[in-house]
Amino acid sequence: MTAIDLGLPATPPPVPVRRRSRQIHVGGVPVGGGAPIPVQTMTTTLTTDVDATLRQIAEVTAAGCDIIRVAVPSQDDADALPALTAKSPIPVIADIHFQPRYVFQAIDAGCAAIRVNPGNIKKFDDRIADIANAATAAGVPIRIGVNAGSLDPRLLAKHSAATPEALVESALWECSLFEEHGFTDLKIAVKHHDPLTVIAANRLLAEECDYPLHLGVTEAGPAFQGAIKSAVAFGILLAEGIGDTIRVSLSTDPVEQVKAGCHILQSLGLRPRTLEIVSCPGCGRLQVDIHKLATQVEAAFDGFPHPLRIAVMGCVVNGPGEAREADLGVSCGNGKGQIFRGGEVLCTVPESQIVEALLDEALNLTEDNGSTPGGECP
């Protein structure tokens, strides 16, 4: 997205100093080494349903997804990979469990990277030489994905639980096996449903290696709970400079996972902001249904292509000040809304016309490229 100059003062948030990591390339997307942090998600369609999977990939791409992962649990899924990689607008990662032979088929199919879960692949370590040679020849990186729910039984016995130390030991052991064959085009993910465990594990990894790290709170939960858990873990780690890709794992449509990931990065100054709505939570001073109004404004601006900040405020205490700080804003009271643009009052409209007035002024603002407001809004 190309941001326009709105001519308004901006104080960008301080950007965290990133951990120094080596860089790999997932298709055309650089990961690590100071590159912008990509947002990933995973399709929920049957991989064998190529048309449905491609439609979902198109939807998440439009929402801001940079890399997509698809499940490959069967031979039929592996057979579908060439059609997916040929038409996907973003790099495809093949997610391999249980059967190492699908790794080779995914590489041949043109997948941009391979995710393997060593704890779920019997005799996986015995195939590492062959996998490393095939991946090297094709220039395909490997993601070592260690999950608490599928940790190697030997490590569970040693640590008594899926502790941060157990997750890290598993990941680094698998990396060492690849390193024995000269393969270091690796990315690591250590996931747990508990955000504090995710934080501790990734801090340990950041100290022990320079591989790029993929952040995820696995099985995070439904949208509300899962987004909070992910934001807590990612926010702390990313603010410390730890993390090179992210995936918000919610029990929702993958589009919502992508949106949550993008918003987390935007909140930390790690991705250019898109349209942002600032709205008050509500209190006894309200003279408007602020929850309804904010929802209506959000729906009206869904897909708006310019990075505006719009304030929707419900009373005169903080409303005028917040509205002046935004690119556009409304301060409500007594069944009316005072519309602000660039810190100046444009007009007052009935409550029923607030959404229309904001949308009209957003279009005027972007067309005027931030020129001084003039005239009155409809």
Side-chain angles (χ1 to χ4, degrees):
M1 177 184 299
T2 302
I4 62 171
D5 181 7
L6 298 174
L8 302 174
T11 304
V15 177
V17 177
R18 300 276 299 282
R19 158 184 169 266
R20 293 178 65 89
S21 68
R22 66 182 69 191
Q23 188 172 93
I24 65 173
H25 285 81
V26 179
V29 178
V31 175
I37 297 174
V39 172
Q40 300 186 27
T41 191
M42 191 170 182
T43 56
T44 58
T45 55
L46 293 174
T47 304
T48 52
D49 190 339
V50 173
D51 290 341
T53 302
L54 286 172
R55 281 195 299 271
Q56 193 168 75
I57 292 174
E59 292 170 356
V60 299
T61 301
C65 187
D66 302 295
I67 300 170
I68 190 69
R69 183 157 48 107
V70 299
V72 189
S74 72
Q75 183 61 56
D76 289 341
D77 296 303
D79 292 340
L81 291 174
L84 290 175
T85 60
K87 296 183 179 180
S88 174
I90 56 178
V92 174
I93 296 178
D95 191 68
I96 309 294
H97 294 261
F98 306 116
Q99 291 293 344
R101 70 174 183 273
Y102 298 150
V103 172
F104 305 102
Q105 198 166 344
I107 291 173
D108 291 340
C111 288
I114 309 296
R115 185 267 178 140
V116 294
N117 184 343
N120 271 348
I121 300 180
K122 295 180 179 179
K123 298 183 178 180
F124 173 76
D125 294 352
D126 297 338
R127 303 300 306 274
I128 287 199
D130 294 335
I131 292 172
N133 290 335
T136 298
V140 172
I142 301 289
R143 170 180 149 191
I144 304 296
V146 178
N147 277 13
S150 54
L151 192 64
D152 190 309
R154 294 168 297 180
L155 291 173
L156 276 176
K158 175 181 177 180
H159 293 274
S160 302
T163 63
E165 292 78 10
L167 296 171
V168 170
E169 183 176 345
S170 175
L172 293 181
W173 167 254
E174 299 301 335
C175 287
S176 72
L177 297 180
F178 278 97
E179 291 166 354
E180 289 179 1
H181 300 282
F183 188 86
T184 57
D185 205 8
L186 300 167
K187 177 172 64 173
I188 302 177
V190 286
K191 294 188 176 184
H192 197 284
H193 65 270
D194 173 45
L196 295 180
T197 302
V198 171
I199 293 166
N202 279 280
R203 283 173 172 166
L204 287 174
L205 271 176
E207 294 176 356
E208 295 292 331
C209 72
D210 67 348
Y211 289 117
L213 304 181
H214 172 74
L215 303 184
V217 178
T218 192
E219 294 98 31
F224 180 76
Q225 181 184 113
I228 291 174
K229 290 166 67 175
S230 298
V232 167
F234 297 177
I236 290 173
L237 289 168
L238 292 170
E240 296 176 3
I242 298 171
D244 299 287
T245 70
I246 66 171
R247 188 245 174 136
V248 181
S249 299
L250 308 176
S251 299
T252 62
D253 187 299
V255 169
E256 298 305 313
Q257 300 177 24
V258 171
K259 289 180 178 179
C262 290
H263 280 301
I264 290 171
L265 294 179
Q266 290 166 18
S267 297
L268 290 164
L270 293 169
R271 178 172 283 219
R273 70 178 175 95
T274 54
L275 184 130
E276 177 185 3
I277 296 176
V278 179
S279 59
C280 63
C283 69
R285 297 187 299 265
L286 287 179
Q287 296 177 330
V288 66
D289 186 342
I290 195 65
H291 302 151
K292 178 180 178 181
L293 180 59
T295 299
Q296 291 173 335
V297 172
E298 183 179 36
F301 280 88
D302 185 38
F304 194 77
H306 299 293
L308 299 180
R309 179 177 288 114
I310 301 174
V312 182
M313 309 304 295
C315 77
V316 297
V317 174
N318 293 319
E322 291 285 355
R324 288 191 184 94
E325 288 295 315
D327 301 326
L328 285 175
V330 59
S331 179
C332 303
N334 297 319
K336 299 179 181 179
Q338 196 172 47
I339 306 296
F340 290 80
R341 171 179 159 183
E344 299 183 22
V345 177
L346 288 182
C347 62
T348 301
V349 299
E351 184 179 329
S352 62
Q353 298 179 21
I354 288 174
V355 176
E356 180 183 359
L358 286 173
L359 190 55
D360 286 344
E361 284 310 310
L363 294 172
N364 290 338
L365 175 58
T366 54
E367 289 173 358
D368 295 344
N369 197 26
S371 60
T372 303
E376 296 185 359
C377 49

